[in-house]
Amino acid sequence: MPATQLPPATHVMDLHSHISLRNLAVIALVSTAILLISIYRPAARDQIAPSSAIDFSPRMQMLGSFEESSATASAAVAPLQPLSSVMTPRGQLSVSSASGLFSVEDEARLGADLERALSYVSERFGSGPSDTINAQINWEPSCGLHGIAYTQIRNTQVFTCPDLPRNRAVNIMAHEFVHQLAQDRYGDAHLGADVILLEGVATWGAGEYWLGGSADFRSFVRPWLQNGSSLPLGISYVGRSISDMNTLYYQWGSFVEFLIQTYGREKFDALYVSGSNNAPASADYFGVYGKSFADLELEWRAWVLE
Ligand SMILES: [Zn+2]
């Protein structure tokens, strides 16, 4: 499936990432060395991120990219473009974008777009930001659309280029915002969360920004389970293809949707803070639900196919 769905190369790369303050500090100090070191480290948290395009279709949405998060991080600490900045009236969001990245008209709309996105994901996620989020849109010369969330310093970034429409950057930012909301809701436990839940909740929380017209993640992933192109939930995306990563992110979003709809938010919150080292399926599923991860995955599959 996904391999046939990739758009032209310049539009292929959607990726997003977030790393801990600890990593950021290291990168800031030795930004060149970290590039070498990180080749041998597992990718930090997120990588891909599809998004709806102007001519969206679910199939077109299956695009993404995989990059070492360190490459993203090094770009993040050394932005080359001057930034313009606007503070939203509510003070929850400070938006800046690389000059020349957007037309004057687009740049004028960007703040309102992102403010709406933050408001939407806050309502969907169930809680808002605890303080101002600094949202930054950077110029990515390769046109590889991706994002990163430095949740401990409240900085979310999306990298894009003038060839990509504004809404695609907003779509990625919506996902990054949810990572920040997760940090604000769960505290530092967020940083070690089971990657299935960490990326699943950010994908699910981005809702319509990632669904592009589909009603929910359940119906979005259903065809994959029907045609046998789905993946097991409990695997890492590290080292996998772009399309596999996209599949996992959407499946994880749907799994989070399943857990919250079926068992409620309180249990999900308890589950979220029980993971360790971002390992897939490391959360205490049995302790919270009285069911193993494997059993819950079977339940999820049956639920999707209902
Ligand atoms: Zn993410």
Side-chain angles (χ1 to χ4, degrees):
M1 61 160 194
T4 61
Q5 297 160 4
L6 295 175
T10 52
H11 294 243
V12 164
M13 301 177 71
D14 293 322
L15 154 161
H16 61 103
S17 242
H18 69 136
I19 62 171
S20 69
L21 180 60
R22 196 169 48 234
N23 289 341
L24 177 63
V26 170
I27 290 159
L29 288 171
V30 281
S31 60
T32 51
I34 197 70
L35 277 171
L36 300 174
I37 293 164
S38 61
I39 291 168
Y40 304 101
R41 293 170 54 208
R45 285 173 260 270
D46 1 332
Q47 299 300 335
I48 57 159
S51 66
S52 59
I54 289 176
D55 52 347
F56 173 84
S57 74
R59 289 188 165 272
M60 280 300 293
Q61 192 165 20
M62 288 295 297
L63 56 140
S65 180
F66 184 93
E67 280 181 7
E68 288 294 327
S69 60
S70 58
T72 299
S74 69
V77 296
L80 299 175
Q81 305 299 327
L83 301 172
S84 59
S85 185
V86 59
M87 181 75 84
T88 65
R90 288 182 305 171
Q92 287 188 318
L93 192 60
S94 173
V95 175
S96 55
S97 63
S99 72
L101 188 54
F102 297 108
S103 67
V104 173
E105 294 78 18
D106 273 355
E107 188 161 313
R109 293 183 188 131
L110 184 65
D113 281 358
L114 291 175
E115 193 170 339
R116 183 201 175 270
L118 179 57
S119 172
Y120 170 87
V121 301
S122 295
E123 184 170 346
R124 188 172 161 89
F125 180 71
S127 51
S130 62
D131 202 346
T132 299
I133 298 173
N134 293 292
Q136 199 173 320
I137 312 282
N138 298 318
W139 193 310
E140 172 54 63
S142 74
C143 274
L145 181 62
H146 60 275
I148 187 164
Y150 299 98
T151 57
Q152 290 179 301
I153 58 169
R154 320 195 60 73
N155 176 230
T156 58
Q157 302 188 19
V158 169
F159 293 76
T160 185
C161 73
D163 289 346
L164 297 175
R166 182 181 85 248
N167 73 303
R168 295 195 61 201
V170 174
N171 291 342
I172 301 297
M173 190 66 88
H175 175 108
E176 304 306 329
F177 282 160
V178 184
H179 283 311
Q180 185 63 58
L181 299 183
Q183 168 87 42
D184 292 348
R185 186 182 184 99
Y186 302 117
D188 285 347
H190 157 71
L191 300 172
D194 181 334
V195 68
I196 294 171
L197 307 175
L198 190 150
E199 293 307 337
V201 83
T203 299
W204 168 79
E208 67 183 37
Y209 287 91
W210 277 45
L211 285 168
S214 291
D216 46 39
F217 288 93
R218 182 191 200 176
S219 54
F220 194 100
V221 303
R222 183 176 293 132
W224 308 340
L225 273 64
Q226 287 172 333
N227 69 21
S229 63
S230 63
L231 292 169
L233 287 178
I235 59 175
S236 170
Y237 58 68
V238 175
R240 300 192 73 93
S241 70
I242 294 162
S243 56
D244 280 0
M245 293 172 64
N246 280 280
T247 299
L248 285 171
Y249 271 51
Y250 275 94
Q251 288 187 183
W252 291 345
S254 144
F255 185 57
V256 165
E257 190 175 69
F258 161 75
L259 291 175
I260 292 175
Q261 284 185 18
T262 307
Y263 297 106
R265 183 54 181 272
E266 253 181 65
K267 281 189 157 57
F268 179 81
D269 285 350
L271 183 71
Y272 193 91
V273 299
S274 69
S276 63
N277 297 319
N278 306 127
S282 65
D284 186 11
Y285 294 89
F286 194 84
V288 172
Y289 298 114
K291 297 173 181 180
S292 68
F293 174 76
D295 285 345
L296 287 162
E297 180 171 8
L298 288 173
E299 273 188 26
W300 165 75
R301 286 189 168 271
W303 175 82
V304 169
L305 293 169
E306 264 173 26

